[in-house]
Amino acid sequence: MIFDSYEAYRAANFTPKVCILGSGPAGTTIARKLGAAGIPVVVLEAGSREFSDESQDFYRGTTVGDFYFDLDITRLRFMGGSSNHWAGWCRVLDKQDFEPKAWVPDTGWPIRRTDIEPYLPEVRDILDLPAFRPDMPISDDIRWVQLIKSPAVRFAEKFGDELDKAKNIAVVLNTCVTELAGDGKRVTGARLWSNGQDAGSFSADYFIICTGGLENSRLLLWSNQRSNGGVVPNATALGRYWMEHPTFEGGNAILADYNAFEVDAVNEAFFSPTLAAMERLQIMNFGIRLIETPYPGVKSLIADLACTAPSMAEWMSYQLSQRLRCAAQLYVAWEQAPLASNQIELSKTDVDHAGAPRIELHWKKTELEHRTLLEGLRLFGTTLIEKNLGRVRIADWISNGQDYPTNDETAGHHHMGGTRMGTDISKSVVDANCKVHGMDNLYVGGSSVFCTSGQCNPTTTITALACRLGDHLSKVVTV
Amino acid sequence: MSFFIKKMSRRAIVQALIALPALSLFRKLPDADASHADPSRADPSHTGASRADPNEIVEVNGWILRRSDLA
Ligand SMILES: Cc1cc2nc3c(=O)[nH]c(=O)nc-3n(C[C@H](O)[C@H](O)[C@H](O)COP(=O)(O)OP(=O)(O)OC[C@H]3O[C@@H](n4cnc5c(N)ncnc54)[C@H](O)[C@@H]3O)c2cc1C
């Protein structure tokens, strides 16, 4: 059932066991799992069926530190969440992303990739994905990896009918949870905001927060402040260890044979380091995206190469004259080290229409990340030489240690961490089952539980974790 | 010296260093110092450039190249 207002929902006299906040990929997936298990579940969704400026305005905030996107353009606040404009690039975090990196503090998850692998067939159905292919090492240092460009499932569009017909799922639109109340053991209720005003308190046996990788932290920080620590009793790590995938054009490659790698429909291929290479160089994971360079770009590369390696420049000119593809731009996205100082805080001066403080995001890239970018491109360049595949040119700003450009991709719109998973309560917020430490009935869904970011887009892993949490709750919740 | 280095970009320094062996002044220089260390290099016609391993990987102007790729 889908209700367009809280009043309409109230009139239906539906009694849920579980209350999910947010109808993005995480919330929708968990609701479908619980619904299928016969558990009555309500999904409270702040937005409506369509985008509106009024709803989106709740997402405004500020960033302190490195340049980042405006917080109200890097996500969407209506039914289906940011799946309404995601690009659909899919890959599961690597096995090694779950394991601790001895050379980077605070890495490693309390679960392993094998814990989510059983859910991958389900994830493929949900996200309309073909089979995943294993990575292919092209040298001791570099893997040729698969990043599936999926049809970018819009969750509200794909599952809207199913949710509407489901008898034990109620999706309530235009209903925002402004804060949770708790007594340090249980969430006792949720404060609602609907139709531009306070709509009273809401209760259910279990609450699952799936409001996105920025908003999950904000809601918990605000709720905890209002209830004197009664919602997240161990809050040292709350809002902290926030991560993105910084993404920048890192240079170019000339390729002896562009067809050496099976490129996708838009002539792109992806490469990542092996664990051994990361360990040897003490760097983070990264993904190099190879994109065909447009004609003018090839010409300036030839000019650049002419005085350094003239015969190679000559070869390129010939390729170009034959209209053969021979050059690529290299975009690099990389894993950020989890840092407590990269964090979501509540603004002290700015509140939204419902009176909740807006986000102040503190985000800075570190020296380790610059090294990951530089050494990553060097690894790739060396591999291309050793395998007679081509040559790499690293962008000047990287070699010269200059500032990150502000006119580049910047990041992936991937909001990770803030309520990270772990066993150490001083460094994590949820346990291996995504349950908030110390709370009996509060869970978190989405990439805010990520301990590390890996290098790939998060939604495939978010969906797998949501399937796992749905299964877990199906066993825990009694009807 | 340090004043000039500070004023020059890393790229410009690297370019200047690459240009050095191309100057005839440098090309004609016998490798006197090296001959002390390694008798097989005593031949005065040997220059630094011709001795280098052509397969060595070098970074020039941001390009990652084999030495044999260089001009
Ligand atoms: C431009 C762009 C491109 C992207 N491309 C990719 C990609 O190619 N691959 C990939 O893996 N990921 C991509 N992403 C990221 C992807 O969209 C997110 O990872 C994913 O949507 C997160 O799902 P979620 O359910 O956790 O949160 P969201 O999708 O953010 O959903 C949260 C939901 O909660 C609702 N909500 C918020 N606050 C409240 C509240 N207080 N009460 C009730 N409801 C609330 C929101 O309205 C929203 O519907 C992209 C993102 C953007 C912005």
Side-chain angles (χ1 to χ4, degrees):
Chain A
M1 297 169 283
I2 300 180
F3 300 93
D4 282 295
S5 70
Y6 185 55
E7 295 83 70
Y9 165 76
R10 285 241 302 233
N13 276 326
F14 182 77
T15 316
K17 272 272 171 191
V18 178
C19 174
I20 296 173
L21 282 53
S23 68
T28 299
T29 302
I30 298 168
R32 291 180 65 242
K33 291 286 284 187
L34 295 180
I39 296 167
V41 49
V42 64
V43 180
L44 301 178
E45 166 54 51
S48 64
R49 290 175 200 257
E50 303 288 338
F51 176 90
S52 81
D53 289 330
E54 205 184 346
S55 174
Q56 200 61 23
D57 186 78
F58 278 77
Y59 271 173
R60 274 198 294 115
T62 49
T63 307
V64 179
D66 285 351
F67 172 77
Y68 191 60
F69 310 113
D70 289 342
L71 300 187
D72 58 338
I73 65 140
T74 187
R75 50 199 178 138
L76 285 176
R77 192 176 180 272
F78 66 101
M79 188 179 168
S82 295
S83 79
N84 288 297
H85 68 175
W86 76 311
W89 292 18
C90 288
R91 175 177 172 82
V92 191
L93 287 180
D94 292 341
K95 175 176 175 283
Q96 61 224 32
D97 293 328
F98 288 86
E99 280 151 26
K101 290 184 177 70
W103 60 99
V104 189
D106 300 323
T107 48
W109 293 49
I111 59 170
R112 291 289 171 265
R113 194 181 193 271
T114 45
D115 291 304
I116 59 167
E117 278 166 1
Y119 299 98
L120 296 185
E122 248 176 285
V123 171
R124 284 180 49 203
D125 283 348
I126 295 168
L127 299 178
D128 294 343
L129 302 178
F132 298 104
R133 76 146 167 79
D135 298 342
M136 296 182 193
I138 56 170
S139 70
D140 289 345
D141 293 335
I142 294 287
R143 295 169 288 150
W144 171 29
V145 301
Q146 179 199 36
L147 206 132
I148 299 173
K149 309 271 185 64
S150 76
V153 164
R154 310 288 179 227
F155 274 66
E157 209 174 288
K158 177 166 174 180
F159 299 111
D161 270 358
E162 179 192 316
L163 294 171
D164 205 14
K165 288 187 186 122
K167 287 280 163 278
N168 47 4
I169 302 177
V171 179
V172 190
L173 302 177
N174 300 302
T175 306
C176 166
V177 173
T178 52
E179 70 188 69
L180 297 169
D183 60 11
K185 275 260 157 240
R186 298 181 63 78
V187 169
T188 51
R191 193 97 222 147
L192 304 187
W193 180 267
S194 180
N195 269 338
Q197 58 187 7
D198 186 287
S201 181
F202 185 90
S203 56
D205 289 356
Y206 292 87
F207 287 86
I208 310 166
I209 304 188
C210 302
T211 58
L214 286 159
E215 212 63 11
N216 282 353
S217 292
R218 177 197 184 202
L219 182 59
L220 288 175
L221 282 164
W222 178 230
S223 303
N224 219 31
Q225 190 170 313
R226 297 275 290 173
S227 64
N228 294 321
V231 174
V232 185
N234 308 292
T236 319
L238 181 57
R240 294 181 179 273
Y241 303 99
W242 193 81
M243 300 162 289
E244 244 284 8
H245 291 129
T247 309
F248 290 88
E249 186 176 355
N252 296 86
I254 51 176
L255 296 166
D257 176 9
Y258 208 105
N259 300 319
F261 305 104
E262 206 179 289
V263 288
D264 61 21
V266 286
N267 288 325
E268 295 186 4
F270 297 85
F271 302 89
S272 283
T274 58
L275 178 61
M278 280 188 262
E279 202 164 0
R280 189 179 75 243
L281 296 166
Q282 313 251 294
I283 56 173
M284 308 299 290
N285 202 351
F286 62 81
I288 291 181
R289 173 162 43 113
L290 193 138
I291 313 177
E292 189 181 350
T293 307
Y295 182 80
V298 185
K299 276 176 64 178
S300 56
L301 265 184
I302 294 173
D304 189 57
L305 196 56
C307 56
T308 312
S311 45
M312 198 155 285
E314 222 169 277
W315 174 84
M316 277 182 81
S317 305
Y318 175 76
Q319 299 289 106
L320 197 64
S321 70
Q322 300 299 300
R323 299 190 174 282
L324 293 170
R325 284 181 304 190
C326 61
Q329 287 158 276
L330 303 177
Y331 278 84
V332 190
W334 66 90
E335 176 180 25
Q336 282 204 282
L339 282 186
S341 55
N342 278 336
Q343 63 174 317
I344 293 158
E345 285 185 4
L346 296 176
S347 166
K348 292 186 181 64
T349 51
D350 200 7
V351 295
D352 66 19
H353 295 305
R358 294 187 186 276
I359 288 176
E360 189 177 281
L361 174 68
H362 294 250
W363 186 57
K364 244 186 158 0
K365 296 181 282 296
T366 63
E367 193 278 325
L368 167 62
E369 288 155 34
H370 186 270
R371 199 151 52 75
T372 296
L373 174 63
L374 179 60
E375 294 302 335
L377 286 160
R378 282 179 174 151
L379 273 184
F380 188 58
T382 309
T383 290
L384 290 194
I385 290 183
E386 283 170 0
K387 300 293 163 188
N388 282 326
L389 291 166
R391 301 289 185 268
V392 160
R393 190 195 190 291
I394 300 175
D396 289 340
W397 68 269
I398 302 174
S399 317
N400 296 342
Q402 287 160 358
D403 287 346
Y404 290 91
T406 49
N407 58 351
D408 209 321
E409 281 195 22
T410 303
H413 302 278
H414 305 154
H415 314 139
M416 299 162 287
T419 70
R420 70 200 311 246
M421 194 189 274
T423 48
D424 178 348
I425 56 169
S426 68
K427 292 192 167 181
S428 60
V429 174
V430 302
D431 66 15
N433 289 318
C434 299
K435 187 172 78 62
V436 172
H437 293 306
M439 296 295 281
D440 292 339
N441 66 344
L442 179 59
Y443 290 80
V444 181
S447 44
S448 62
V449 307
F450 284 20
C451 302
T452 53
S453 67
Q455 62 81 19
C456 71
N457 310 49
T459 309
T460 318
T461 308
I462 291 175
T463 311
L465 285 169
C467 290
R468 180 172 174 269
L469 177 54
D471 257 13
H472 174 73
L473 287 168
S474 307
K475 289 174 204 136
V476 170
V477 179
T478 48
V479 187
Chain B
M1 173 70 178
S2 62
F3 171 79
F4 284 108
I5 298 277
K6 269 189 204 139
K7 287 270 169 202
M8 289 168 87
S9 73
R10 231 192 96 189
R11 185 165 180 207
I13 297 168
V14 173
Q15 262 167 339
L17 291 173
I18 300 160
L20 286 182
L23 298 174
S24 53
L25 172 73
F26 287 91
R27 229 183 296 142
K28 284 193 186 114
L29 260 186
D31 199 356
D33 280 343
S35 65
H36 293 304
D38 180 356
S40 67
R41 293 176 180 170
D43 179 352
S45 67
H46 253 138
T47 65
S50 63
R51 232 186 22 253
D53 175 3
N55 284 324
E56 187 194 350
I57 293 174
V58 291
E59 209 173 306
V60 181
N61 284 351
W63 284 99
I64 302 173
L65 301 165
R66 269 197 207 288
R67 187 170 288 286
S68 56
D69 294 333
L70 295 175

